[in-house]
């Protein structure tokens, strides 16, 4: 496996970094305080190909691979985890599901609008009483003629209110039965489809998290992705790639916090010398740098396997688990290095600290990742 950064990867990373510095950084705290979802930013990212990173050019996407995807997500999340979170939900989950499991007609219908940022996408699996227990979901679809009638609620959905289209996985069989759920594409404006409560969150506050409600929502069978009953299997494959998304998001947050702490430690003077000269601080920086590099390599390995279309469930779970925990630890240590200043909103590390925690929860908790890893170890 060759992890040397290609010129293409460097170029797209530079593009994402420049965009983040100009169009995101000046407004980060305003959006965080007001919990504004800056939808216009995603339309602008669409013009650069950042809303269809993995989508082939024939569908108006950028046609890039996972190394480039990782680099883009990192650069955005170094500046704002919220913007990166909604970006990955759009790219990896909604758009990725249609790309992987849609037929040609479905791809031609939805991918160009998603890849160009004209439309923003959401993906719905989680329900109020079924997080990891997805086989027992209450949101159902019943076939009536050439249509399906959807009823129920999805929660914790990124872009759940502002998205123009959502991929939703609902139960079409008996609870806990094998192959009991199916994926559908539902467009905003479909009768019976509405947004519900928007969550008031600790972090990632500019990334919209909300309910999606289906009340006798009529969806044509033409909107079904793949075969009836394949929804859960599809979702697990989508989440393999999604774990690369969260690992990359975690890395961006960790690197952003580390770089801020490193710079501050060189500037902050105590006892007539920079605090970086003190072992208590320098050892923290050493741990941060080492753990970030280890998380980076795990994520690069998962990206390589994904690009090669090889099995990578265990590797992506390892990357997501470790990188997310490193993000939390690094952000915590960064606040400690900043001291009292780190506890204020005048410096960036308090936001990294709040944003990082989501990475250990979203798209499968750290405990679920360990369960996935353990199962593969015990095969």
């Amino acid at each position: 496996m060759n992890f040397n950064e290609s010129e293409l990867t460097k170029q797209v990373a530079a593009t994402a970094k420049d965009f983040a510095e100009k169009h995101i950084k000046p407004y980060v705290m305003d959006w965080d305080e007001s919990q504004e979802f800056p939808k216009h930013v995603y339309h602008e990212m669409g013009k650069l190909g950042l809303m269809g990173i993995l989508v082939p050019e024939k569908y108006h996407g950028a046609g890039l691979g996972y190394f480039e995807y990782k680099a883009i997500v990192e650069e955005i999340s170094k500046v704002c985890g919220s913007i990166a979170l909604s970006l990955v939900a759009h790219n990896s989950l909604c758009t990725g599901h249609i790309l992987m499991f849609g037929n040609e007609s479905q791809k031609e219908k939805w991918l160009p609008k998603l890849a160009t940022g004209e439309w923003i996408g959401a993906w719905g699996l989680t329900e109020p009483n079924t997080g990891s227990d997805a086989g027992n979901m209450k949101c159902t679809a019943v076939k009536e003629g050439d249509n399906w009638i959807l009823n129920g609620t999805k929660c914790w959905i990124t872009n759940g209110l502002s998205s123009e289209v959502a991929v939703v996985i609902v139960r079409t069989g008996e609870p806990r039965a094998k192959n009991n759920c199916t994926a559908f594409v539902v467009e905003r404006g479909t009768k019976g489809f509405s947004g519900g409560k928007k969550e008031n969150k600790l972090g990632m506050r500019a990334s919209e998290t909300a309910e999606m409600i289906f009340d006798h929502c009529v969806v044509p069978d033409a909107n079904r992705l793949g075969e009836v009953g394949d929804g859960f299997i599809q979702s697990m494959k989508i989440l393999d790639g999604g774990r690369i998304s969260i690992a990359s998001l975690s890395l961006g947050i960790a690197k952003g916090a580390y770089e801020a702490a490193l710079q501050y430690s060189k500037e902050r003077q105590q006892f007539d010398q920079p605090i970086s000269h003190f072992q208590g601080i320098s050892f923290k920086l050493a741990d941060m740098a080492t753990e970030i590099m280890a998380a980076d390599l795990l994520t690069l390995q998962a990206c390589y396997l994904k690009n090669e279309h090889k099995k990578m469930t265990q590797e992506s779970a390892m990357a997501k688990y470790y990188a997310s925990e490193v993000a939390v630890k690094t952000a915590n240590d960064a606040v400690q290095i900043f001291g009292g200043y780190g506890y204020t909103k005048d410096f960036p590390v308090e936001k990294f600290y709040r944003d990082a925690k989501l990475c250990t929860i979203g798209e499968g908790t750290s405990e679920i990742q360990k369960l996935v890893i353990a199962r593969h170890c015990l095969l």
Side-chain angles (χ1 to χ4, degrees):
M1 289 181 280
N2 182 2
F3 295 156
N4 290 330
E5 195 173 42
S6 70
E7 285 303 315
L8 176 60
T9 303
K10 291 177 183 177
Q11 288 172 9
V12 298
T15 298
K17 181 178 181 179
D18 182 65
F19 182 90
E21 289 291 328
K22 291 179 180 178
H23 300 283
I24 299 173
K25 191 173 184 177
Y27 314 104
V28 165
M29 291 312 297
D30 289 339
W31 294 336
D32 184 77
E33 290 288 331
S34 65
Q35 300 193 63
E36 176 186 351
F37 179 67
K39 194 170 181 179
H40 66 280
V41 172
Y42 298 92
H43 296 317
E44 291 300 314
M45 284 196 284
K47 296 175 183 177
L48 295 176
L50 304 185
M51 298 294 277
I53 301 169
L54 302 166
V55 176
E57 292 180 17
K58 65 179 288 189
Y59 303 117
H60 301 177
L64 299 171
Y66 272 84
F67 289 132
E68 292 74 39
Y69 179 64
K70 170 184 176 291
I72 290 167
V73 173
E74 278 187 32
E75 291 299 337
I76 300 295
S77 54
K78 279 182 186 178
V79 174
C80 182
S82 294
I83 302 301
L85 177 61
S86 283
L87 180 71
V88 300
H90 169 94
N91 270 281
S92 176
L93 300 180
C94 178
T95 305
H97 201 136
I98 295 170
L99 177 63
M100 186 175 291
F101 296 107
N103 58 39
E104 191 60 28
S105 175
Q106 291 168 334
K107 291 177 184 179
E108 290 176 353
K109 180 177 181 180
W110 289 302
L111 288 182
K113 292 180 178 179
L114 289 165
T116 58
E118 179 183 350
W119 281 12
I120 292 176
W123 191 77
L125 178 67
T126 304
E127 298 181 8
N129 295 309
T130 56
S132 303
D133 186 16
N136 195 34
M137 62 177 64
K138 302 296 188 292
C139 191
T140 61
V142 177
K143 186 83 180 292
E144 288 189 6
D146 293 330
N147 297 315
W148 292 82
I149 313 302
L150 276 60
N151 282 289
T153 300
K154 296 291 180 179
C155 67
W156 305 108
I157 308 304
T158 305
N159 310 336
L161 294 177
S162 297
S163 56
E164 282 82 9
V165 65
V167 173
V168 295
I169 299 87
V170 298
R171 184 164 56 81
T172 50
E174 294 299 315
R176 301 200 185 285
K178 187 176 181 181
N179 301 327
N180 72 342
C181 57
T182 304
F184 296 91
V185 179
V186 187
E187 293 184 16
R188 190 71 61 178
T190 302
K191 186 178 180 180
F193 175 32
S194 62
K197 176 189 175 185
K198 179 181 176 179
E199 301 297 338
N200 183 10
K201 308 191 299 293
L202 167 72
M204 301 292 193
R205 289 166 64 82
S207 176
E208 181 182 270
T209 304
E211 293 177 325
M212 295 193 302
I213 299 169
F214 303 92
D215 183 9
H216 293 87
C217 178
V218 181
V219 177
D221 188 58
N223 287 28
R224 172 172 47 83
L225 294 172
E227 298 300 319
V228 174
D230 281 354
F232 184 75
I233 295 170
Q234 292 176 9
S235 297
M236 294 303 99
K237 292 179 180 179
I238 292 299
L239 288 172
D240 279 348
R243 288 169 184 145
I244 292 176
S245 298
I246 303 301
S248 302
L249 172 62
S250 301
L251 276 169
I253 291 172
K255 289 178 180 181
Y258 167 72
E259 290 169 9
L262 178 64
Q263 184 63 35
Y264 181 80
S265 73
K266 294 176 180 178
E267 297 171 352
R268 172 69 167 169
Q269 296 272 332
Q270 290 288 278
F271 304 101
D272 302 318
Q273 59 183 309
I275 63 171
S276 59
H277 290 184
F278 298 112
Q279 190 178 81
I281 300 299
S282 65
F283 277 19
K284 283 187 186 298
L285 293 168
D287 284 341
M288 294 158 85
T290 302
E291 290 163 2
I292 287 171
M293 183 172 287
D296 210 338
L297 290 169
L298 280 171
T299 308
L300 285 168
Q301 177 183 231
C303 288
Y304 169 81
L305 293 171
K306 186 67 173 174
N307 280 341
E308 296 295 314
H309 306 290
K310 294 181 178 179
K311 290 182 179 179
M312 41 76 76
T313 299
Q314 183 182 35
E315 290 80 1
S316 65
M318 286 178 170
K320 194 272 186 189
Y321 163 56
Y322 189 70
S324 64
E325 294 291 341
V326 166
V328 171
K329 182 175 182 294
T330 301
N332 181 63
D333 285 344
V335 171
Q336 198 71 19
I337 289 171
F338 271 79
Y341 291 114
Y343 203 66
T344 73
K345 293 183 181 294
D346 294 328
F347 293 85
V349 290
E350 71 85 27
K351 184 175 183 298
F352 287 128
Y353 181 79
R354 289 185 290 110
D355 287 350
K357 187 57 191 171
L358 181 278
C359 298
T360 68
I361 299 169
E363 296 197 36
T365 62
S366 290
E367 290 74 22
I368 287 295
Q369 304 312 315
K370 287 195 276 189
L371 181 63
V372 171
I373 295 163
R375 284 176 175 172
H376 279 77
C377 291
L378 297 169
L379 285 175

